[in-house]
Amino acid sequence: MKTNKRAQHTKKEQQKLLKGRIIAHLGKALIVEDEQGRTARCKKRTQLQQPAVGDYVEWIKTEDDAGRVENVLERRSLLSRPAKNGQTRPVAANLDQIVIIIAVKPTIDPLLLDQYLIVCEFQEIKPLIVLNKVDLLDEGSRKSTDELILLYRNLSYEVIEVSAVEKSGLDKLRKRLKNETSILVGQSGVGKSTITNSLLPDLDLQTKALSTASGLGKHTTTSSTLYKLPEGGDIIDSPGVNIFGLAHITEQNLAYGYREIKHLAEHCKYSNCLHLKEPKCAVKDAVETGDVSKKRYLRYLKLRDKLAY
Ligand SMILES: Nc1nc2c(ncn2[C@@H]2O[C@H](COP(=O)(O)OP(=O)(O)OP(=O)(O)O)[C@@H](O)[C@H]2O)c(=O)[nH]1
Ligand SMILES: [Mg+2]
Ligand SMILES: [Zn+2]
């Protein structure tokens, strides 16, 4: 009798909706962190939309360290990437900031940089540009890099220079990451994981907890993972692949993704001007006078081609 009661009680307890956050997506498992900082390996309710790293969720415990995600709570932002059949897949949710890492090695790809910035403008998520590996700069690369940085600073984008290996510039970066949820993005090899490492004194611990929770053994950076910063806030280390794209962006929004074009567009003769061959186009005029960078404008045209409007 007594035992029965306890069993019932336990069952009730287990059905209680708990609050948590998705911190990784490993294999088929969703790793949920509860409000006490404990992790559990979860499945999701069959009908539920795919949760993303950073999602706040309601979940129930089905075993000691396992459970099922029942609901995804409202998101304040969502980053997705194109998937098969013209669909999109969520990459990370509830982001405040996208930290775009560039480095001398692999060579900076300004077209990729612009694409990340367009996503930031479009999704209204704060961008931060970080130039890593400054220890590798020589006279030649310093000059071309400075030119590029100046272009973006003149557009009011913040650029921070760091060396994750020499641990320089990291305090400035820490300040900008404090109390925010940020995702690190950029080409493979620019140093996202090394930066993550140098910001987290307890990375080993956090990684160990993850591999235990997932039951997958050693954790590799094949998927995005959320880590807690000691100063408050979180960073998501993402794999270097093309984690998001411009798949569903309209022609007009692509143009607005170039903030200097957006600022000038209201002065164009036509309100729907795409700044191509239209007469009295304020953007093209500004490119002529040098007020708008020709390089950026050409990249805008190149992206239009790529998206085949
Ligand atoms: N010289 C120098 N090398 C660095 C620096 N930061 C990272 N590296 C090296 O760059 C290489 C790639 O670094 P990762 O941190 O793995 O790059 P990642 O961006 O995480 O790459 P993916 O996970 O493939 O997307 C490693 O060999 C690092 O040691 C730096 O500040 N200076
Ligand atoms: Mg990595
Ligand atoms: Zn125009």
Side-chain angles (χ1 to χ4, degrees), residues 28-30 32 41-45 48 66-70:
K28 281 198 171 142
L30 295 162
V32 172
R41 185 180 70 251
C42 289
K43 295 177 176 156
K44 72 170 180 74
R45 179 166 58 80
L48 191 70
R68 188 172 66 233
V69 175
E70 294 290 306

Side-chain angles (χ1 to χ4, degrees), residues 268 273-275 278 281-284:
C268 294
C273 186
L274 290 166
H275 329 293
E278 298 91 335
C281 167
V283 174
K284 274 191 301 164

Side-chain angles (χ1 to χ4, degrees), residues 192-193 221 237-238:
K192 298 178 294 294
S193 298
T221 42
D237 183 15
S238 75

Side-chain angles (χ1 to χ4, degrees), residues 97-161:
Q97 189 163 246
I98 296 178
V99 182
I100 307 160
I101 317 284
I102 54 175
V104 244
K105 242 185 187 173
T107 320
I108 299 174
D109 176 355
L111 196 65
L112 183 66
L113 174 57
D114 282 359
Q115 288 181 64
Y116 287 133
L117 291 172
I118 291 163
V119 171
C120 292
E121 300 286 342
F122 181 52
Q123 309 245 15
E124 295 184 355
I125 304 174
K126 254 186 314 190
L128 173 66
I129 302 171
V130 171
L131 171 71
N132 186 31
K133 309 195 189 186
V134 290
D135 56 290
L136 294 183
L137 288 170
D138 57 26
E139 216 174 296
S141 53
R142 178 80 259 183
K143 195 161 170 278
S144 58
T145 310
D146 278 348
E147 239 168 65
L148 182 103
I149 289 177
L150 186 65
L151 167 58
Y152 287 92
R153 283 193 174 140
N154 284 341
L155 293 166
S156 301
Y157 287 113
E158 187 172 355
V159 185
I160 296 180
E161 297 190 13

